[in-house]
Amino acid sequence: MKLIFLGTGPSLGVPVPTCNCETCSSLDPRDKRLRSSVYIEYDDYKFVIDCGPDFRQQVLMNNIDKIDFILLTHKHNDHIGGLDDVRPFNYHQKENMSIYGNKETLTDVKNRFYYSFEKRPYPGAPKFRLIEVERNTMFGYKEMNILPIEVFHGDMSVFGYRIGDFTYITDAKYIAQEQIDLIKGTKYLVINALRPSFKHKVHFDLEDALDFIKIIKPEKAFLTHLSHKFPPYQKLFSLIPDNVMFAYDGLEIEFQ
Ligand SMILES: [Zn+2]
Ligand SMILES: [Zn+2]
Ligand SMILES: [Zn+2]
C-alpha cells in the first residue's frame, strides 16, 4: 500500500490569507498546507479520502491520473468542496465517480451538486455514483476491506476508515470506546490535531491526539489537519514522541 498526503491543512489551509504569523510566513514547503486529503494505492486500486477545494491542484501536483473511488469523511466544505473537479476523471475513465460516505454526507453532496442529479444534467456536469455505507459494516474491492469507523466532530458523525493495518481519521473530537476497539491493532494511524494545547470544541488538539495515539499504540502515527497555530515545521520535532510525525503535503509512505 502506498499513500501520499495530498493536503494536511485545516479548513483555512496554511498559510492563511491575510495572516503574517511566523508559520504563515515560513518559506519551508512543509509549512504550505492544502486542505486535508490522502491518495492511496492498494493492489490495483487508486483512491482518495476526501475531496476538498484544493483537489484539482492536488491531483496535478502529484500526477494522479486515475481515481477508482472517493471515500468521504464528512460534509464540511474543506472535505467535499472539490467534487465538481472529478469531471476530468469522468471523461478519462468513461464512468461515474463512485463516492462512499454516510447518509448525512451524501445528502449534502446531492444538495451542493444538485445540478449533477437533475433529470437532464447539462453535458459537462460531474457524474457521481453515491454509495451509502454504515459504521462497523465492511465493504471493499476484491481483497481490500474498508471499515467505516464513527467518530464525533461536535455533534456531527464523521467516518474514519480502516483498511487492514491502516486507519485514517480526521476532524475527530470524541471517539467511543467501542469504535476505539475497532481501531486497535492499527499499525499506521493518521489522526487530526488542529492546534497545540488549546482546547477546541470540535477538533482534537495535539494533546488529545497524543493521548489517543497512546491508547492505539500504532507503530507509526501521522498528524494531519494542522493549523498555522503550530510553530513552523522545523520547530515541531520537540513536541512529539519518536513514533509520531507531523505529516506534510507531498509526504509519501509505503507499508505492507
Ligand atoms: Zn476539516
Ligand atoms: Zn498564520
Ligand atoms: Zn470538519
Side-chain angles (χ1 to χ4, degrees):
M1 174 166 165
K2 175 177 131 174
L3 177 145
I4 305 172
F5 284 91
L6 301 181
T8 55
S11 61
L12 296 174
V14 181
V16 176
T18 76
C19 183
N20 46 29
C21 74
E22 197 188 357
T23 300
C24 287
S25 313
S26 161
L27 297 177
D28 188 334
R30 295 170 301 183
D31 290 314
K32 313 274 181 221
R33 301 183 183 277
L34 298 175
R35 267 59 73 90
S36 289
S37 169
V38 286
Y39 166 77
I40 294 173
E41 289 180 5
Y42 189 112
D43 293 338
D44 294 337
Y45 297 104
K46 299 176 175 185
F47 58 99
V48 293
I49 305 182
D50 284 334
C51 186
D54 299 316
F55 173 73
R56 177 178 176 280
Q57 189 183 345
Q58 290 166 327
V59 293
L60 288 172
M61 286 169 79
N62 293 282
N63 298 314
I64 294 168
D65 56 10
K66 185 168 178 269
I67 295 179
D68 295 300
F69 58 91
I70 297 175
L71 306 178
L72 295 178
T73 59
H74 66 300
K75 67 180 186 180
H76 281 157
N77 189 64
D78 54 323
H79 298 265
I80 71 168
L83 281 172
D84 187 86
D85 284 320
V86 303
R87 290 179 297 140
F89 295 93
N90 290 151
Y91 306 145
H92 186 65
Q93 295 166 200
K94 299 182 177 59
E95 59 186 2
N96 292 11
M97 180 59 74
S98 297
I99 313 273
Y100 292 84
N102 64 22
K103 189 174 189 167
E104 189 180 5
T105 308
L106 297 186
T107 303
D108 199 65
V109 170
K110 273 189 216 158
N111 291 335
R112 281 172 189 247
F113 304 97
Y114 64 91
Y115 48 89
S116 159
F117 298 95
E118 286 173 338
K119 256 195 188 138
R120 292 175 59 200
Y122 72 89
K127 292 190 172 74
F128 304 120
R129 177 173 157 252
L130 303 183
I131 304 141
E132 188 184 326
V133 288
E134 289 180 30
R135 68 175 195 161
N136 307 0
T137 308
M138 197 105 84
F139 62 97
Y141 287 81
K142 290 189 197 158
E143 259 111 85
M144 177 175 53
N145 293 312
I146 304 171
L147 178 68
I149 306 271
E150 184 177 50
V151 304
F152 281 90
H153 185 30
D155 294 336
M156 188 186 290
S157 162
V158 169
F159 275 1
Y161 293 97
R162 177 167 182 173
I163 304 157
D165 291 337
F166 169 76
T167 302
Y168 182 89
I169 294 172
T170 190
D171 292 50
K173 177 62 186 178
Y174 170 76
I175 308 176
Q177 185 58 48
E178 120 247 356
Q179 297 293 299
I180 290 176
D181 292 341
L182 297 175
I183 303 165
K184 279 188 177 160
T186 291
K187 284 190 194 159
Y188 306 95
L189 174 70
V190 178
I191 185 74
N192 59 297
L194 187 66
R195 304 171 177 182
S197 268
F198 183 96
K199 293 297 166 201
H200 190 283
K201 281 193 186 122
V202 301
H203 282 278
F204 272 1
D205 62 16
L206 180 61
E207 222 174 296
D208 298 325
L210 294 179
D211 286 347
F212 178 64
I213 291 165
K214 270 187 213 147
I215 295 169
I216 302 300
K217 301 184 186 68
E219 275 175 27
K220 190 89 192 170
F222 300 88
L223 302 170
T224 191
H225 211 280
L226 308 162
S227 82
H228 67 147
K229 300 284 183 193
F230 281 107
Y233 198 87
Q234 282 232 316
K235 296 185 183 174
L236 289 175
F237 296 94
S238 61
L239 303 176
I240 45 172
D242 281 348
N243 67 329
V244 184
M245 180 180 181
F246 283 91
Y248 55 84
D249 291 19
L251 173 65
E252 199 173 314
I253 34 180
E254 280 204 48
F255 31 78
Q256 296 299 312

